[in-house]
Amino acid sequence: MLTITIILAILICIGVGYWLNINIGLLAISAAYLITTTMMGVSVKELVSYWPLNLFFIIFAVTFFFGFVIANGTMEKIARNAVYMARSMPSMIPFALYGLVLLVAGIGPGHYAVFVFLSPLVMSVASRTGMSRLLGAIIIVSGGMATTFTSISLGGRVTQGILENAGYDAATAASYTHTLLIDSFIYQTLVFLVAYVVLKGYQTKSLETERPEPFDAQQRRTLWLVAFIVGLIILPATIAAFLPAGSAFATIASHVDSTFISIIGVVLALILRVGDEKAALAKVPWGIIILLCGMGMLINVAVKAGTIAALSQWLAANVSPAMVPYATGVSSSIMSFFSSTLGVVMPTLFPIVPNLASNAGLSHTVLLSAIVLCSSLTGFSPFSSGGALALAGVQEEAERNKLFYRLLLVPLCGASGVLVFVFLGLLG
């Protein structure tokens, strides 16, 4: 009875959140409170401990730091320069935009920053160059997901945390996150290349814009600060990889944490006066934080109640081992059609994978990749975060209506392709 109640609660939270346009995280917190206090005998104090504090801190720190980069115009000017450099070869403008999205998603802010802050820019460029708006949406969503699992990106850090919460040790979680990065980059880039050909991205017209203004002094300081912070995160581990295990760099690398380095970056940004604290803080996606952490609390309730173990046992008992990857992929697609991959699908399904893979004798990484790729491609749905924000970036009403219906078809094609990759053994 408890397991069924929790499953229904998750589905109701997603459904009501979609239909009434209420943050799913708020509904999940409410459901967690009602279930634990009426059916599980859990105290409010214990329930509060289910809040994924580590996840909250990661998102807050990283997005706060990059809020300075966005608020002072540095991010926009980087984008304009990237497009300008492709002016002599207009057919390369989609590649320039895709490369920019890969860079932004991979170096820190993750795909949420791409969805929120680059969607208007990409769609504006599409409008001015005659580029397909659907290709623009694919650049945003596929590009954002292709590199979001890097070790220094918000998506990578969150994913590793979700995997650790699912029962994997830190080293295994890091290794699996790296596998997800490789699979996602290859498949999402293939989606972009196919879309470029099918949607005639090579017919993109030249932008008639003047050379972007040079970076001002504040923005130059911002660029140096970003390079310094990213270097602090990357270099110790990179150098340590080529040195003996007991070296000083190995010790330093073991203490490097991108979350706290990002907080140091915030302090340096304030000292260097690269932006306004309130303006940067306003860029922190509080709605996404509530969504992720609220769902995380409800999922922790499910783990405490044994719901996750019960689900994995049911799948293992009722679905043949050969069909398990397809079943998990389809399940993640259905969930992601109305909700967030990182905020809802992965925290819900990842905890099932360890028992499911062991019981069915399957590769953990194949199941994880099937979940991530199917849900991220269903994320093109206009009801999901990526598709909704891409749609919001289109100013022309006629183009917006046309894109809405096209975004309903892309998930079906994309997820079907993932299942073909599973069948051919190309994942994991």
Side-chain angles (χ1 to χ4, degrees):
M1 181 63 182
L2 181 58
T3 294
I4 295 174
T5 301
I6 292 175
I7 294 173
L8 287 175
I10 293 173
L11 295 176
I12 290 172
C13 286
I14 296 172
V16 172
Y18 161 63
W19 287 111
L20 299 182
N21 195 27
I22 299 173
N23 191 305
I24 294 173
L26 295 174
L27 297 170
I29 294 169
S30 303
Y33 169 71
L34 293 174
I35 291 171
T36 53
T37 54
T38 61
M39 302 181 69
M40 296 176 61
V42 173
S43 67
V44 172
K45 183 177 181 180
E46 183 179 350
L47 175 61
V48 171
S49 70
Y50 292 171
W51 179 267
L53 186 60
N54 185 52
L55 187 64
F56 167 83
F57 195 38
I58 289 171
I59 300 172
F60 168 74
V62 174
T63 54
F64 190 10
F65 172 65
F66 277 94
F68 288 95
V69 185
I70 295 162
N72 67 12
T74 303
M75 184 77 77
E76 181 182 357
K77 197 161 286 185
I78 292 172
R80 291 185 178 278
N81 276 277
V83 174
Y84 177 77
M85 288 188 293
R87 70 193 183 283
S88 60
M89 299 180 64
S91 62
M92 296 300 294
I93 289 175
F95 285 92
L97 291 172
Y98 188 70
L100 172 67
V101 171
L102 291 178
L103 176 65
V104 173
I107 64 171
H111 62 289
Y112 280 126
V114 169
F115 295 166
V116 174
F117 300 113
L118 291 187
S119 292
L121 174 67
V122 172
M123 288 307 184
S124 175
V125 171
S127 176
R128 296 166 60 192
T129 61
M131 187 174 77
S132 165
R133 306 307 190 278
L134 181 57
L135 179 57
I138 288 171
I139 288 172
I140 293 164
V141 179
S142 287
M145 293 304 299
T147 55
T148 194
F149 299 109
T150 63
S151 60
I152 62 171
S153 173
L154 173 64
R157 295 285 298 172
V158 170
T159 299
Q160 185 170 337
I162 293 173
L163 286 168
E164 290 178 11
N165 289 338
Y168 296 104
D169 59 68
T172 301
S175 175
Y176 286 178
T177 302
H178 182 68
T179 300
L180 290 176
L181 169 63
I182 295 173
D183 285 349
S184 187
F185 178 80
I186 292 173
Y187 192 80
Q188 299 288 2
T189 300
L190 179 62
V191 170
F192 164 69
L193 293 174
V194 171
Y196 179 82
V197 174
V198 173
L199 300 173
K200 300 180 180 179
Y202 49 82
Q203 293 183 355
T204 301
K205 302 173 185 176
S206 177
L207 281 172
E208 296 182 8
T209 61
E210 298 179 358
R211 183 184 186 90
E213 294 182 5
F215 292 95
D216 60 32
Q218 185 185 58
Q219 292 167 342
R220 288 196 296 271
R221 290 198 302 272
T222 304
L223 290 172
W224 282 111
L225 177 59
V226 171
F228 175 69
I229 294 300
V230 172
L232 282 180
I233 296 171
I234 294 176
L235 288 178
T238 303
I239 296 173
F242 296 96
L243 297 175
S247 66
F249 265 102
T251 303
I252 294 172
S254 67
H255 290 89
V256 169
D257 184 275
S258 60
T259 303
F260 286 94
I261 296 295
S262 295
I263 292 296
I264 293 173
V266 170
V267 174
L268 292 176
L270 294 171
I271 293 173
L272 296 173
R273 306 292 182 185
V274 302
D276 179 71
E277 179 181 353
K278 291 183 179 179
L281 194 59
K283 301 299 182 183
V284 175
W286 297 108
I288 291 172
I289 288 176
I290 293 172
L291 167 64
L292 288 169
C293 295
M295 277 301 297
M297 175 179 280
L298 184 55
I299 295 303
N300 282 334
V301 170
V303 172
K304 177 75 174 180
T307 302
I308 303 301
L311 282 175
S312 63
Q313 291 171 4
W314 184 89
L315 278 173
N318 294 276
V319 179
S320 66
M323 295 302 295
V324 165
Y326 306 100
T328 53
V330 171
S331 299
S332 67
S333 294
I334 294 172
M335 291 178 64
S336 182
F337 198 83
F338 300 103
S339 57
S340 164
T341 295
L342 199 65
V344 177
V345 180
M346 289 165 54
T348 301
L349 295 183
F350 273 19
I352 298 175
V353 171
N355 288 337
L356 188 60
S358 299
N359 293 338
L362 297 169
S363 166
H364 292 241
T365 52
V366 168
L367 294 181
L368 294 171
S369 290
I371 291 170
V372 168
L373 291 177
C374 284
S375 61
S376 65
L377 287 159
T378 314
F380 279 100
S381 157
F383 307 128
S384 194
S385 55
L389 289 167
L391 193 66
V394 180
Q395 299 302 314
E396 308 93 331
E397 185 175 354
E399 289 292 338
R400 190 186 304 120
N401 292 336
K402 186 189 301 182
L403 181 60
F404 178 88
Y405 293 106
R406 289 184 174 182
L407 289 176
L408 293 174
L409 296 176
V410 173
L412 178 62
C413 299
S416 298
V418 174
L419 298 181
V420 172
F421 264 52
V422 171
F423 178 76
L424 296 176
L426 298 178
L427 295 182

